[in-house]
């Protein structure tokens, strides 16, 4: 329940750090849950808000929901998210961050991307995570993606972590921010009692 161990036949073992498959593979995983997360986020974002949105399959589902909200300004390092927002009925104004292009995830990363992010200020940083641990906070499996997420968090009024239930209670190699820096965690299902208690202690709201 706390995510400290993984049960196996006849015993338990320490959890391995979470790695992620290809973007295409992840698009088919937990699609319904990611859509639920997107709808929850849409209900919290107001017309005219400014949002950072980093690369990920969950954040892409969030973009599909946010594309219906009018007059948003979106800053993203994801080509897919930029297209979804620009073509949406909400007529978002989109800024696509430049940098070193990573074709696997269709994103820009690296020092140039981090430097450009610092030129913006946003109401919300919508951040995907490979893992969310009750002690360490949200984490990413990729060093460069974690650096982009940290930069977005540093320049936003509110940090919103979006993660489906499979990522709760896991760990990955690169921490994005401290748990007590997160304002809101949105998941498709309600986490267990121990995790909820940890979120409450850190001042993180759950949806």
């Amino acid at each position: 329940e706390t995510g400290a161990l993984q049960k196996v036949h006849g015993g338990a073992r320490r959890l391995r750090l979470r790695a992620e498959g290809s973007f295409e593979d992840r698009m088919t995983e937990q699609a319904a849950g990611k859509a639920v997360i997107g709808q929850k986020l849409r209900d919290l974002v107001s017309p005219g808000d400014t949002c950072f949105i980093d690369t990920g399959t969950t954040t892409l589902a969030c973009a599909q929901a946010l594309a219906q909200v009018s007059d948003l300004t979106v800053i993203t390092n994801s080509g897919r998210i930029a297209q979804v927002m620009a073509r949406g009925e909400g007529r978002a104004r989109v800024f696509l961050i430049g940098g070193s292009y990573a074709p696997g995830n269709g994103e820009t990363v690296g020092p140039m991307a981090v430097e450009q992010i610092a030129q913006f200020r946003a109401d919300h940083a919508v951040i995907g995570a490979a893992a969310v641990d009750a002690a360490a906070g949200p984490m990413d499996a990729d060093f460069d993606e974690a650096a982009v997420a940290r930069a977005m968090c540093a320049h936003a009024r509110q940090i919103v972590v979006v993660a489906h239930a499979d990522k709760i209670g896991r760990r990955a190699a690169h921490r994005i921010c401290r748990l007590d820096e997160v304002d809101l965690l949105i998941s498709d299902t309600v986490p267990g009692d121990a995790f909820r208690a940890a979120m409450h202690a850190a001042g993180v709201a759950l949806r």
Side-chain angles (χ1 to χ4, degrees), residues 15-127:
L15 291 175
R16 296 174 179 169
L17 294 179
R18 185 175 178 85
E20 292 192 307
S22 71
F23 196 95
E24 288 71 22
D25 289 343
R26 287 183 283 128
M27 280 292 294
T28 63
E29 297 172 355
Q30 306 293 336
K34 293 172 184 177
V36 168
I37 291 169
Q39 295 301 318
K40 289 182 178 181
L41 177 65
R42 186 186 67 178
D43 293 341
L44 299 171
V45 173
S46 300
D49 280 356
T50 298
C51 302
F52 287 119
I53 308 178
D54 75 348
T55 300
T57 56
T58 304
T59 51
L60 180 57
C62 289
Q64 290 164 347
L66 291 179
Q68 303 168 33
V69 180
S70 63
D71 299 323
L72 295 182
T73 297
V74 171
I75 307 107
T76 184
N77 68 321
S78 165
R80 293 179 178 91
I81 288 173
Q83 283 195 332
V84 165
M85 294 303 307
R87 295 173 177 174
E89 62 186 62
R91 300 180 180 274
R93 185 182 188 194
V94 178
F95 292 89
L96 181 60
I97 295 297
S100 176
Y101 185 67
N105 287 338
E107 64 182 336
T108 54
V109 293
M112 186 181 296
V114 171
E115 181 179 344
Q116 289 183 30
I117 288 167
Q119 298 177 29
F120 296 91
R121 296 295 183 273
D123 297 297
H124 317 282
V126 180
I127 303 299

Side-chain angles (χ1 to χ4, degrees), residues 158-202:
Q158 181 187 54
I159 298 174
V160 181
V161 175
V162 292
H164 62 75
D166 282 357
K167 297 183 179 182
I168 303 298
R170 294 183 176 271
R171 290 194 173 198
H174 309 286
R175 189 166 75 166
I176 296 169
C177 64
R178 298 193 317 270
L179 185 62
D180 61 6
E181 293 177 306
V182 177
D183 296 289
L184 176 63
L185 172 65
I186 302 179
S187 188
D188 49 324
T189 60
V190 178
D193 291 344
F195 190 85
R196 289 202 307 273
M199 297 300 103
H200 179 74

